Amino acid sequence: MNEGIVVAEMTADVPMQYGLLLAAVLFSLGVIGVLARRNIIFILMSIEIMLNAAGLAFIAAGARWAAADGQIMFILILALAAAEVSVGLALILQFYHRTVTVDADAASEMRG
Amino acid sequence: MLDLLALVPAFPLFGFAILFITAGTLPRRWIAAIGVGSVGISAILALIVAAGFLSAQQPYTQIVWRWMAIGGFNSAVGFYLDALSVVMMLVVTFVSFLIHLYSAEFMADDEGYSRYFAYMNLFVAAMLVLVLADNLLLLYLGWEGVGLCSYLLIGFWYRDPANGLAARKAFVVTRVGDTAMVIGLFVLFTHLGALEIQPLMQRAQESWPVGSGLAIAAAGLLLGGALGKSAQLPLQVWLPDAMAGPTPVSALIHAATMVTAGVYLIARTHVLYELAPPIHTAVAVIGALTLLLAAFSALNQTDLKRILAYSTISQIGYMFLALGVGAWAAAIFHFMTHAFFKALLFLAAGVVIQRLHEEHDIFRMGGLRRRLPLAFWSFLIGSASLAALPFIDAGFYSKDLILWETWNSGANGPWLWLAGIVGAFLTAIYIFRAVFVVFFGPVNIEPEGRTGFAIAVPLIVLSLLALAGGFVEIPEYLGGIPAFTELLSAVLPNPPSLTAPTASSALAGVLTGIAALLAMLGVAVAFVAFLDRPAFVTRLIESPVGVTLQRFWAAGWGFDWLYDRALTRPFVWLAQLNRSDIIDFFYAGVAWLSEAGWRLLSRSQTGLVRWYAAGVAFGSATLIILAVFA
């Protein structure tokens, strides 16, 4: 209990709102990146940014309430991001093999 | 002996099954043996069963198996034997056997030999089910079975579209009556809770007073079925066209057996008609009208088979007249003698037509008396019986009985009797017109071929029956041995001459004398008009009124014309109007709407992954906003 209070005091100098605001800005940037970018590699990178924004929100909230859950969730997100990138890169490679482009809009065979 | 009853209809059914399954692959000799043999065995069994019945003198019921049991409704395949069904069974099996024997030679050169006997055997089985059924549902099965076989055999030579048309006409017109009959069965079952004929009749008698609405409805609806099947006014139009089938078929189905099913149905359910006096009177009136109309039409036909067809309608009119005045046994008696002499007439006509290369027009025949002696004598005996020439033939006794009972049937009796006696006079003229034109005078076409054993035997046997078949009922003035009506008196109520006689027996002699004289006068008229001095009749026919009347009567009083204008054409017009199916517009609209929806939604499937991502983002943003602020 005492240790928890100490931790709270140590981090009290950065308010949680700032952390969450930063996370929101990063997430929005990620979303805009996914929607606006046509280069499939940049889309993948934007997704990474969104994942990290979510991780930051967890860390900030975990610090505010001095709970370890936030950090556990961040580790989970890291693992998820690693898996996602490996699958995503493999897909991009295949995609490039087939279309010889990295334009995501070129993959529209499923139209209609 | 009585437990052989179920085998009587089973053998023809078995014969049908064999011929149906082998589908014409058997040798012709075998086909004939199966087709004729199965009915022959059935006839012998019928004789044994009848002997057993006559010694026991008790109604006998045989339940073969339970047909269906749904909720409170039970129906069995059961056969019921009483005096009425014994008579029907014997006549049906024996006449059928003789006609099958005749067919074995008559149809010998036909490519559909096996199909023919298959249908004929099925017909006999269905007809026996009809007359032996112990409940109305099984009776209805037989009723529809004979209708089906009638359809199949009228259209037997199906390559000629006219035959198919005649078959369809027969089927559709009888269907009108059958529908009424089915509704009648529903009425009986819902109000009396049974379809077994004997309990049903008992319950009707107990729970319905005379003249009650339900009894009138039930009797009227069953009468509708009888009118269709027996070709009575107003549903008689199909029978003349039914002559498109082979001649033995006309003899068996459209003269001797099936068309009299209506007579049997009314006699079987006579209790209902006694409970419904208006309908009972209607039966007599319809019979009297039909016999007159059909007699006039028969007088003006030139096709030998159509003369006989109209004559059949007319004679069944006599049976309906007898039923309508309460002379039940007389109707069944006339059914029996009619089965003999009309089958004989058709079979003799079949010989004439076949030996003259399918010539149907009587005015192109002539002088066949010495060329075809067997056909001549058979036809002459049949005609004498049909015309009811006094004393020597069967038809005289049955017709005389009907006319006598008609006179006795209350206030309207003499009027109905008058219709009957005029009809009898016309009958003698029209049938002897055929005799004189076909068999006398100069020879127009030389007959070819020869008539064999299998055709000769049925003609001879039926000739004997047409002569002597009437002696089962000897009237009072000849000694009075009414064996036939006594046999039936256990089943059918007494005729008016016994219950409420309005005439003395002295009058009976006078009336019989009038009938006998008129019949002979009719023959004389036919002799003068069509053989001795045809010029007079020719002048009569060629006058303007004569031409119109002749055409009108020859066309069956314009009933076909009327039904064509009143029913067929409006129906065809409606069908053409509704060619694109008005109701279908609604369903087409539903289909169009869903197709439009599909087009709209498929537009949203761009295949661009970024659009999908935008959809996900927008959707989740909306959900979050709703969760937070709402």
Side-chain angles (χ1 to χ4, degrees):
Chain A
M1 209 44 160
N2 281 345
E3 283 169 353
I5 293 165
V6 171
V7 173
E9 278 167 1
M10 276 167 64
T11 55
D13 41 352
V14 181
M16 182 188 65
Q17 284 86 339
Y18 291 175
L20 287 184
L21 206 62
L22 177 61
V25 171
L26 276 175
F27 190 85
S28 303
L29 284 174
V31 169
I32 290 166
V34 167
L35 297 186
R37 283 280 183 181
R38 285 168 65 182
N39 189 324
I40 198 162
I41 296 173
F42 276 91
I43 290 174
L44 196 67
M45 284 160 64
S46 301
I47 290 171
E48 287 298 309
I49 291 172
M50 284 159 73
L51 280 168
N52 282 308
L56 182 61
F58 274 118
I59 294 292
R64 166 65 181 77
W65 282 288
D69 309 23
Q71 290 167 26
I72 292 168
M73 284 307 289
F74 182 66
I75 291 168
L76 198 69
I77 287 173
L78 275 184
L80 186 77
E84 181 256 318
V85 161
S86 58
V87 173
L89 282 175
L91 281 174
I92 288 170
L93 271 178
Q94 276 300 316
F95 178 68
Y96 187 73
H97 271 305
R98 284 181 186 222
T99 58
V100 204
T101 174
V102 285
D103 183 355
D105 288 358
S108 62
E109 281 92 358
M110 298 289 277
R111 181 176 53 229
Chain B
M1 289 202 285
L2 283 169
D3 49 6
L4 295 173
L5 179 60
L7 290 178
V8 177
F11 266 98
L13 191 66
F14 191 55
F16 159 73
I18 294 176
L19 292 173
F20 180 71
I21 291 165
T22 54
T25 53
L26 292 177
R28 295 204 158 217
R29 191 182 289 268
W30 288 27
I31 292 169
I34 294 169
V36 181
S38 62
V39 181
I41 295 171
S42 175
I44 293 166
L45 287 173
L47 206 60
I48 297 171
V49 169
F53 172 78
L54 287 179
S55 62
Q57 287 288 1
Q58 282 289 330
Y60 172 75
T61 308
Q62 185 179 30
I63 303 295
V64 184
W65 71 79
R66 195 169 72 175
W67 189 8
M68 56 178 106
I70 308 159
F73 175 73
N74 274 293
S75 191
V77 175
F79 298 117
Y80 179 78
L81 199 68
D82 60 6
L84 177 58
S85 42
V86 160
V87 171
M88 297 297 291
M89 177 180 74
L90 283 177
V91 173
V92 167
T93 51
F94 272 88
V95 173
S96 296
F97 170 68
L98 291 173
I99 293 173
H100 274 72
L101 185 62
Y102 176 94
S103 304
E105 185 183 325
F106 188 84
M107 299 295 288
D109 295 327
D110 199 281
E111 56 177 329
Y113 200 54
S114 177
R115 190 162 56 92
Y116 175 82
F117 275 109
Y119 292 164
M120 289 288 269
N121 276 4
L122 182 64
F123 170 78
V124 176
M127 189 69 205
L128 286 168
V129 167
L130 196 166
V131 299
L132 291 173
D134 87 320
N135 63 72
L136 285 174
L137 198 64
L138 190 62
L139 184 147
Y140 187 71
L141 179 76
W143 187 275
E144 291 301 334
V146 292
L148 170 72
C149 295
S150 163
Y151 165 78
L152 292 171
L153 285 163
I154 294 170
F156 181 73
W157 289 312
Y158 56 87
R159 293 213 173 101
D160 183 354
N163 296 346
L165 195 69
R168 282 201 298 282
K169 183 176 176 184
F171 199 73
V172 170
V173 174
T174 51
R175 178 98 350 220
V176 174
D178 293 354
T179 309
M181 182 179 164
V182 159
I183 299 171
L185 296 192
F186 293 155
V187 169
L188 285 174
F189 183 72
T190 46
H191 289 280
L192 298 174
L195 282 178
E196 286 76 27
I197 296 167
Q198 302 311 317
L200 185 71
M201 292 301 125
Q202 213 163 8
R203 276 186 222 179
Q205 215 152 23
E206 284 160 6
S207 50
W208 287 344
V210 173
S212 79
L214 280 171
I216 289 175
L221 288 165
L222 289 188
L223 174 64
L227 292 182
K229 199 60 105 191
S230 291
Q232 297 294 291
L233 218 60
L235 297 176
Q236 83 286 27
V237 290
W238 64 272
L239 190 60
D241 288 343
M243 297 300 120
T247 307
V249 170
S250 310
L252 178 59
I253 300 183
H254 305 117
T257 54
M258 185 192 83
V259 286
T260 53
V263 177
Y264 171 74
L265 179 72
I266 294 178
R268 186 43 97 196
T269 57
H270 61 87
V271 172
L272 292 178
Y273 291 87
E274 286 174 325
L275 293 176
I279 300 294
H280 199 183
T281 313
V283 174
V285 173
I286 287 172
L289 281 178
T290 310
L291 76 88
L292 279 178
L293 294 188
F296 275 110
S297 290
L299 198 52
N300 289 289
Q301 299 300 315
T302 52
D303 182 328
L304 183 54
K305 281 182 76 181
R306 284 178 85 91
I307 295 176
L308 296 178
Y310 276 110
S311 153
T312 303
I313 298 176
S314 175
Q315 294 305 305
I316 298 170
Y318 276 103
M319 296 179 213
F320 270 64
L321 178 62
L323 294 170
V325 299
W328 313 99
I332 300 301
F333 186 33
H334 196 58
F335 149 75
M336 187 178 82
T337 57
H338 175 256
F340 297 150
F341 66 69
K342 191 51 67 64
L344 175 65
L345 282 169
F346 265 113
L347 296 186
V351 171
V352 171
I353 290 168
Q354 198 177 44
R355 296 282 294 273
L356 297 184
H357 311 291
E358 300 303 317
E359 180 55 66
H360 282 246
D361 189 340
I362 54 171
F363 290 105
R364 284 194 219 138
M365 301 171 182
L368 296 174
R369 182 168 38 121
R370 295 194 194 287
R371 301 291 195 281
L372 300 172
L374 180 68
F376 168 64
W377 284 106
S378 307
F379 201 89
L380 187 67
I381 290 169
S383 303
S385 205
L386 171 62
L389 293 185
F391 305 124
I392 50 164
D393 50 69
F396 171 72
Y397 294 99
S398 57
K399 201 176 276 182
D400 188 43
L401 189 64
I402 290 177
L403 290 174
W404 169 235
E405 298 296 355
T406 306
W407 181 277
N408 273 296
S409 67
N412 295 327
W415 289 108
L416 294 171
W417 176 86
L418 189 67
I421 202 82
V422 171
F425 179 58
L426 290 171
T427 306
I429 298 179
Y430 73 66
I431 196 64
F432 275 91
R433 164 180 178 257
V435 171
F436 291 133
V437 171
V438 172
F439 292 102
F440 291 82
V443 179
N444 286 338
I445 305 174
E446 277 293 338
E448 279 179 23
R450 52 180 293 278
T451 297
F453 179 71
I455 284 181
V457 169
L459 286 177
I460 292 165
V461 174
L462 281 172
S463 296
L464 293 177
L465 286 172
L467 285 177
F471 292 122
V472 294
E473 171 85 12
I474 295 171
E476 217 166 305
Y477 50 82
L478 286 180
I481 312 170
F484 193 82
T485 46
E486 246 167 44
L487 175 73
L488 285 172
S489 65
V491 185
L492 300 169
N494 282 327
S497 68
L498 290 179
T499 51
T502 59
S504 63
S505 57
L507 191 59
V510 177
L511 295 180
T512 303
I514 294 172
L517 279 177
L518 273 179
M520 290 191 287
L521 187 65
V523 177
V525 168
F527 175 75
V528 173
F530 297 104
L531 190 65
D532 200 34
R533 303 201 199 297
F536 176 67
V537 174
T538 319
R539 217 176 321 136
L540 202 67
I541 289 172
E542 280 167 0
S543 69
V545 182
V547 168
T548 319
L549 265 185
Q550 208 234 355
R551 206 174 290 163
F552 182 56
W553 283 338
W557 296 75
F559 273 95
D560 275 326
W561 181 87
L562 182 68
Y563 290 163
D564 184 51
R565 294 295 191 288
L567 299 168
T568 317
R569 290 202 183 175
F571 182 77
V572 171
W573 180 75
L574 266 180
Q576 270 165 354
L577 199 71
N578 197 18
R579 203 180 174 82
S580 52
D581 200 346
I582 290 160
I583 309 251
D584 216 36
F585 278 137
F586 170 71
Y587 296 103
V590 170
W592 182 86
L593 216 67
S594 58
E595 202 178 287
W598 161 73
R599 267 182 223 293
L600 204 71
L601 286 174
S602 82
R603 209 60 71 70
S604 73
Q605 299 294 307
T606 54
L608 298 177
V609 74
R610 297 183 306 131
W611 270 106
Y612 301 157
V616 171
F618 182 75
S620 22
T622 311
L623 280 178
I624 288 165
I625 287 166
L626 282 177
V628 173
F629 296 104

